Amino acid sequence: MTGSVTAKSKDGQDAQAKQGGALRALGTGIITGAADDDPSAIGTYASAGAKFGLGFLWIAPVLLPMMFVVTYLAAKLGRVYGKGLFAAVRDRYPRWLLYPLMLGAFTGNVIEASANLGGVGAAINLLVPIPVPLIVVLVAIGVMLFQFFGSYEMLRKVFRWLTLALFAYVIAAVLAKPDWIKVVRATVSPNITFSSDFLAMVVACIGTSLSAYVYTWQSNQEVEEQIDEGKETARQRRGASRGELARTRRDVMTGMIFANIILYFIILSTATTLHPQGITQIDSAAQAAQALEPLAGAGAKWLFALGVVGVGFLAVPVMTTGAAYDLVQGIGRDGTLHHRVSEAKLFYAVILVVTVIAAGLNFLGFNPMRALVISGIVQGFSVPPLLLMMMLMTNDRGMMGERRNGRLLNVVGWATTAATFAATACLVASWFW
């Protein structure tokens, strides 16, 4: 949930924001980064490290500017235009374009939430001998009640604490005792192959680090933060000062650096332990954690599992709420976390239905860890068109006024858009070749 405490005026709020806004901005930025490193991401990065070893570490520094630009574009759109992503698309583009994009993002959120519930269930099962289906149901009920009856302020505070779970992966990687010289060399010297498996993993990493739910969540949290400041209507929220956008950039950069460091150490932990032992296929969270235990100690096993559980309780409500944002805004209705259930019945009904479907998909016999990677690939296919739309909207004078993208942001943004299209096209081509 990104956004900084701002004063009422557009250009005179900087002094007031400094009175505690920095700490709040740091916290909200890290929440966004933590949500990006959801159990889907953990499963994808762990699989990448196990399958390709240290040779896949280069993906982290390559992804960082891409992660920043797409998240900042979404934040900027919400901050300046005053509406969430799909509300903005609905205002500006025809329905034949809006609805496929909305349904793609909505479906991705449902699959991602389902895979993450399964990942959390498998991780808890590793620590406590409770049947995974029962865990999935209990977790789904818990996060849904949390969304329905928790205030926005409480949600934000709890999410901040849950981000700490991701530091478990830094510790787990250190416990693996990697050869740091080889680690640095692998990071700066890419080892790229053009096999179908390798390209699929690249697309999965792009998809899970640039997931569509991050866009919708980020843009809508800018709106939520402005509502928290007393700006109830879109007209009141329209426009942003240079100071507001500067703080938003710092906030987003902080969160994305955090997310990028975590993804790096997740890859490193399995690349150092599982890959050298020939364990290149991860079939479950339990297998990944148990495989780490004899190689890096019992602490690594617990850290891996607890990291999945902690961030899962953060990410699942982000995804189910994101799906509600997508659908409600796509059909022209209102709904925010600031509303009570009675004030936004459709919004909360969508959260309920998505949570039930996401939990139910886990009873169809899918392997949780494979589902996590597959969901990353699905997100990879939805990234390019949504990113294209964000680039067009943030360069639209009618929507952004004087706050349209500058030259550097456009260069990085269009390069990222081209890279996501190219990665997806290469994956499709590899299936035929």
Side-chain angles (χ1 to χ4, degrees), residues 98-179:
L98 165 67
Y99 292 141
L101 289 173
M102 178 192 72
L103 290 175
F106 179 86
T107 302
N109 273 11
V110 174
I111 296 174
E112 193 93 359
S114 175
N116 286 330
L117 281 171
V120 170
I124 293 178
N125 175 259
L126 177 65
L127 307 178
V128 182
I130 300 175
V132 172
L134 177 59
I135 297 173
V136 168
V137 172
L138 292 176
V139 171
I141 292 173
V143 297
M144 186 170 59
L145 292 176
F146 182 58
Q147 291 165 279
F148 272 55
F149 300 106
S151 67
Y152 177 74
E153 183 65 27
M154 186 185 76
L155 289 171
R156 183 167 52 197
K157 289 179 179 178
V158 172
F159 284 173
R160 282 175 178 166
W161 284 105
L162 288 174
T163 63
L164 298 176
L166 285 169
F167 285 104
Y169 295 104
V170 178
I171 301 172
V174 173
L175 289 176
K177 299 178 181 178
D179 183 330

Side-chain angles (χ1 to χ4, degrees), residues 349-422:
V350 174
I351 292 177
L352 171 63
V353 171
V354 169
T355 304
V356 170
I357 293 175
L361 290 175
N362 282 276
F363 290 84
L364 299 180
F366 296 123
N367 179 281
M369 193 62 76
R370 287 182 180 175
L372 292 173
V373 178
I374 292 171
S375 68
I377 295 175
V378 171
Q379 292 281 7
F381 278 97
S382 66
V383 163
L386 279 173
L387 181 51
L388 174 61
M389 296 306 299
M390 286 200 298
M391 286 298 300
L392 293 174
M393 288 189 291
T394 51
N395 278 293
D396 188 327
R397 182 181 294 275
M399 299 183 74
M400 307 300 287
E402 297 179 354
R403 305 308 181 199
R404 291 179 299 163
N405 295 340
R407 182 176 299 176
L408 179 60
L409 185 59
N410 270 329
V411 169
V412 179
W414 286 119
T416 301
T417 304
T420 59
F421 273 106

Side-chain angles (χ1 to χ4, degrees), residues 295-312:
L295 301 170
K301 165 189 169 181
W302 277 78
L303 288 168
F304 189 92
L306 289 174
V308 172
V309 174
V311 77

